[in-house]
Structure formats: C-alpha cells, structure tokens
Amino acid sequence: MGDAHLSPAVKGKTVLVVGDSWAANFGTGMSKIASADNMIVNAGLGGCGIMMPHSVAGKKATPACLEWPEKWPQYMAMYKPDAVLLRTATWDMYPQAFSESDAELTIEYPAVRARFEKYMDRAIRILTENNTPVYLTNAKIGGVNSSNSQSLAMNKAVREFAEKNAGRGVHLLDLAAQLCNNAGCPPVAASQKVYDKTDHPTPWSRDRLAAWILNSMFADESASGV
C-alpha cells in the first residue's frame, strides 16, 4: 500500500491540497515526508465537499465549506502551485439537500450526480489556472458512515469526470486500489493498522499514501493496490 520512499524527483515543488478531512490528512503526511525545499499548502477542511449543500446527513452545512469558490482562486494566485490535490469524495457521497425544502439524496441519484459534475467543473476551472495539473482521488469502498453502493457510485463519478477532463490536466489517483482488493479493504497492512478510530488513515498509512501521491505527481511512480 502506498510508497515506502519519496522519489528524489519531488524537489522544489509546491503542492496545494484542497478538499475534505482526508485531503487535510494527506497534506499533513506530505508536509512530514517532503524535504524542506518543498512547500505543501494544506487547505483541506474536515466535513467539506464541493456541492454547496444546505445540509449534509441531517446537519446544516458548515459555512466554511461554502467558501471555496472565493478561497481557492486566492490560494492559486498566492502560491502558484506546481500541482493540486483535490480530494472530495467522502462528503459529496453522503445524503444532502440543496435547499431547506429539499429531501436529502446521495450521489446515487442522477440529480446529485449532475450537481457534482457541475461543481467539479467549476473547481477545475479554478484549480487548473496556468495549466496546473489537478489530481483527484476516489474513495475506499464502504466505511463507517457510507455504504458500498454510495462509494461505488462516487468512484464511478470521479473516474468518469477525470477521463472526460484529461485534456484539461485532470488526473485520477486510484486510492481505492491502494486501500482495497477483491476481499475488501483490509484494516491491517504490513502488520500496521491502516485506519484510526475515525476511519481516517493512521500516521503510518497516511505517510505511505502521501509519498505515493507526490511520486505520482512528479515522478510518475504509481504503486499497485494492497
């Protein structure tokens, strides 16, 4: 799972990390393993997707989650990153409503899938400023708060979006293949716990996945699945 070592090619790079708590987790891992001459701008926010919902899983959307259309252009102008990691799979697959009167629906519904694609397009227009490559990740299959069908629907949406927008510099990092296999998503790899109590990567798996992400961005080194 992931990469054990960071490639020497990852040198003098600036990476902007945006998205949810998994994004923030990976940003922390990148900052830990990358040498001092790399800059990791960690703007991941826990509990945030990109679809600008009114509510998610019965709770009103956090105001900070609605600010990305204003914040991300500022980050792009300020830091001029060499690459961007956008990780938004988890919260955008959950049941959510887009107005006070709407029922909450998951990414499995066509209307929600269409909204996801609309806001992904908006995000990519911001993040590919100056032809900056953008790397998306999919999600592990299932989890504490999501069903297999939700994560599979999300992963299908992310994969098809990346394929459709490859010409715009959009790439897919197959996180699900790193974490899961035909038998499921093992909680232990190489005698190490993969997830913590919140179902996020432990420091061990976080750092290996961070190395895999950076190597994939700058050294074209893509690890196989678990």
Side-chain angles (χ1 to χ4, degrees):
M1 183 195 72
D3 287 352
H5 304 289
L6 189 65
S7 169
V10 186
K11 184 176 181 180
K13 305 298 184 182
T14 298
V15 178
L16 172 62
V17 180
V18 292
D20 56 20
S21 57
W22 276 67
N25 189 287
F26 292 143
T28 298
M30 291 181 196
S31 295
K32 180 179 177 183
I33 66 170
S35 58
D37 64 353
N38 295 290
M39 176 183 290
I40 308 300
V41 181
N42 190 354
L45 289 174
C48 293
I50 63 165
M51 288 198 284
M52 310 287 280
H54 175 268
S55 66
V56 181
K59 297 181 180 180
K60 193 169 182 179
T62 304
C65 296
L66 310 180
E67 296 177 350
W68 66 262
E70 291 75 41
K71 294 289 188 181
W72 293 0
Q74 296 173 17
Y75 300 149
M76 293 297 293
M78 182 180 301
Y79 298 107
K80 297 179 174 57
D82 296 291
V84 176
L85 174 69
L86 168 56
R87 202 287 178 181
T88 179
T90 300
W91 284 90
D92 283 323
M93 77 173 75
Y94 287 169
Q96 52 196 293
F98 305 107
S99 74
E100 191 171 1
S101 60
D102 286 345
E104 289 189 341
L105 302 174
T106 71
I107 191 68
E108 298 164 278
Y109 286 81
V112 180
R113 163 76 181 261
R115 187 179 178 96
F116 175 75
E117 292 175 357
K118 172 185 175 181
Y119 280 92
M120 282 293 289
D121 180 75
R122 185 175 180 181
I124 293 305
R125 280 189 276 116
I126 293 170
L127 299 174
T128 54
E129 184 73 18
N130 299 321
N131 298 315
T132 306
V134 177
Y135 292 80
L136 311 178
T137 83
N138 51 19
K140 64 172 289 196
I141 308 303
V144 172
N145 296 310
S146 60
S147 67
N148 286 6
S149 61
Q150 288 173 12
S151 50
L152 290 171
M154 171 53 72
N155 289 357
K156 184 175 187 290
V158 172
R159 183 183 71 253
E160 292 180 354
F161 182 88
E163 291 172 349
K164 182 179 178 180
N165 291 277
R168 299 167 69 186
V170 178
H171 308 267
L172 176 63
L173 299 178
D174 193 354
L175 180 63
Q178 295 294 314
L179 297 173
C180 308
N181 55 34
N182 291 336
C185 304
V188 175
S191 301
Q192 298 284 339
K193 289 184 178 180
V194 177
Y195 308 103
D196 63 20
K197 293 180 180 179
T198 69
D199 204 36
H200 289 80
T202 60
W204 176 83
S205 57
R206 174 201 69 196
D207 293 351
R208 290 184 66 99
L209 291 167
W212 166 68
I213 291 169
L214 289 170
N215 288 343
S216 298
M217 287 176 168
F218 302 116
D220 196 28
E221 296 177 3
S222 179
S224 60
V226 175

